[in-house]
Amino acid sequence: MKEIRLQEIVTLFYRLFLAFFFYQIARFLFWFFNKNLIKIDSVADYFGIAYHGTAFDTTAILYVNSLFILLSLLPLVINTKKYYQKFLFYFYFITNGIAYSMNFGDFIYYKFSQARLTSAALNVAQNENNIGKIFFVSVLEHPFVIVCFLVLMTLWVFLYKKVKITERAVGNKLIYFISSVVTLCLVATLVVGGIRGDFRHSTRPINLVDANRYVKNPLQANVVLNSVFSFFRTLNTNNFKEVHFVDEKYIEENIKPYKIYERDNVGPKPNIVIFILESFGKEYSGALNKNTDIKNFVSYTPFFDSLATQSLIATNAFANGRQSIHGMSSVLAGIPSLKDAFTSSPYSNQKIQSIVSVSNEMGYDTSFFHGAPNGSMGFLGFGNILGFKNYYGKTEFNNDEEFDGMWGIWDEPFFHFFAQTLNQKKMPFMATMFSVSSHHPFKIPEKYKGKFKKGPLEIHIPIEYTDYALKKFFETAKKMPWFENTIFVMVADHTNQVGYPEYEKAMNRFAIPLLFYSPNPKYNLKGEITEPAQQMDVYPTLVDLMGYNKKIRSWGRSLVSDKKEDYIIVNSSGVEQFIIGEYIYLFNGSEFNGIYSLKDLGFENNLLGKINTPEIQHGKKMSKAWYQDYMNRVINRKLN
């Protein structure tokens, strides 16, 4: 019976068990460090979530340890030798240590992304040359994460060494070989089933969406998951698939992907200036929180607030994505990012109608400004797809003394460069400025230390600095001849750190400012829009104000049009989220995971299966129709 290798099999399962044990510890720590963002009502609820998380841990652990399992069970006569076991020890901890660290990165990363780590991070990283610096700064700012990781890895090594394999010689080599092959085949079968999530051929392997099956609130799915699973499961995935729920006539009449806004007597074409403000969440602005009843609310945007009194503001606006590049595609081209981001998909390189292409057609000079090293964030590449005639980055600014050392040129000097460059443009022009300074690690120039009031969040002072940079920009721009006939837009790319419980709510993680301002009274950009709005509305609103008077492809709507248009607000948090009428619909591409009242921004009372009114039936059909049209247009390259 010595040839059966029972000692090695039991030890292998012990070593795998250790991985499960430490993944559960990482799960608890992930929730603990983010408990203000992910509410779990009771200990029983947590243990239920942790139990269901075991299936996702199994997939992750077997992904990482497949080769280790193979090396442990290969029918080699040296398996029990000390040097071979030492080799397995190092192989085990190098692979598991790297994978395990992903979970710890999410302790910090989740606060910014509000989603588990996915392979989309690679798409962001490939456009940056400062990843090492960002990592180093993050480590210094959050030493507790490194301490936790090192302590747990030390404990893991200690427990691993508690069970050792005794060296022994192989007796009957034939029996040893046959039993090893049988064992390997059985274990391989278990591994395949574990990676898939079950052994049934009729089901697909588990993926991120399946985590939503085991939770009361969609945000809790992030605790069910682990970062290794979410990263590996999204490698080389393509969730862009054509679906058919309704006929094209229904889409044409209800989704209305093509729109025409006719405006007479526009006169001289207005210049267009769009500020996409990094991480400039709605939470930071007093002008957008007058009616939120947040006790002792503090604003960190005095200039934005003052400008809002002279502007048209959307007080209930949402982002259509979670990352900067998603904001660019949503604002300029009206293309949101769903579970998979359009901008990092195989379909992004196609002809796209956008505010850029419309401006080019109307004879505008079109420019994109971003103070980071040219190409950062993928903006240069996507800007070329959209058709910007000019790109201005750190290279064109040409003064590294104003470089923040991490992301790009400080906002104030780059905004001044923006204004001066616009003054040299032939009118009309359309220019987009993407700010950089309100970005982690949340620093401001040394000369402004102590100038701005300190808030409870790290981002508050950089937000005040960017707001100050906007003030200085407008002081300069007002003196220039192009100012009077210019329409300005201010919108955030996505949200960031959260301070008030109101903005911890799931839908409010997407709550952003949206402002239209012009010193020219003929555009009548004053007042408040209280209905839900979104980044995708910027493009059709500007097309309307510019007097394009031709058909455009848009899933957004003009916020200044006289004709009544129903809103469909779209974004994604692992599943697609639609605000239609008085309800929020959570849809995974094939079925609905939740339906919530529009007032239930925290997704606390799931109405799915409880009520099924005609309005809800209509909303479900509209959600499916929108999703169908999106997939059809993206995949079949019909975004023009």
Side-chain angles (χ1 to χ4, degrees), residues 503-550:
Y503 290 96
E504 293 172 357
K505 295 176 179 178
M507 276 307 299
N508 271 346
R509 310 281 179 83
F510 295 90
I512 58 166
L514 177 54
L515 175 152
F516 297 86
Y517 165 76
S518 179
N520 192 331
K522 75 176 183 179
Y523 299 114
N524 194 30
L525 296 175
K526 306 241 184 231
E528 292 187 9
I529 300 164
T530 57
E531 278 191 341
Q534 60 191 324
Q535 290 170 328
M536 290 198 296
D537 295 334
V538 171
Y539 160 42
T541 301
L542 290 176
V543 165
D544 186 358
L545 289 167
M546 293 161 68
Y548 182 59
N549 294 343
K550 295 182 184 179

Side-chain angles (χ1 to χ4, degrees), residues 622-637:
M622 288 286 285
S623 301
K624 287 183 172 183
W626 189 97
Y627 185 84
Q628 175 180 320
D629 190 58
Y630 176 87
M631 289 297 169
N632 173 38
R633 293 188 182 282
V634 168
I635 293 170
N636 294 309
R637 303 180 182 274

Side-chain angles (χ1 to χ4, degrees), residues 310-441:
Q310 310 167 51
S311 305
L312 177 66
I313 59 172
T315 57
N316 196 21
F318 297 92
N320 298 119
R322 291 197 178 278
Q323 295 179 1
S324 297
I325 189 67
H326 305 167
M328 183 180 180
S329 67
S330 300
V331 171
L332 301 180
I335 304 173
S337 284
L338 302 188
K339 187 190 314 176
D340 283 357
F342 165 76
T343 46
S344 57
S345 75
Y347 309 105
S348 60
N349 191 10
Q350 60 174 289
K351 193 172 183 180
I352 299 170
Q353 190 187 46
S354 66
I355 188 60
V356 185
S357 67
V358 167
S359 298
N360 286 335
E361 185 182 337
M362 295 179 71
Y364 279 66
D365 180 290
T366 55
S367 303
F368 187 86
F369 291 75
H370 185 228
N374 293 35
S376 176
M377 302 280 188
F379 291 159
L380 179 56
F382 192 63
N384 287 336
I385 291 172
L386 294 183
F388 278 108
K389 295 175 183 175
N390 305 288
Y391 185 96
Y392 298 89
K394 179 172 175 283
T395 300
E396 288 71 23
F397 184 79
N398 197 29
N399 182 3
D400 285 355
E401 290 183 6
E402 300 288 359
F403 180 52
D404 66 9
M406 182 72 74
W407 289 105
I409 305 301
W410 295 112
D411 281 349
E412 185 199 357
F414 200 72
F415 284 10
H416 181 75
F417 168 73
F418 181 40
Q420 296 293 341
T421 305
L422 292 182
N423 208 37
Q424 301 166 22
K425 295 288 182 184
K426 180 181 177 181
M427 294 184 280
F429 55 76
M430 191 286 288
T432 298
M433 161 62 74
F434 209 122
S435 71
V436 302
S437 292
S438 44
H439 209 304
H440 179 267

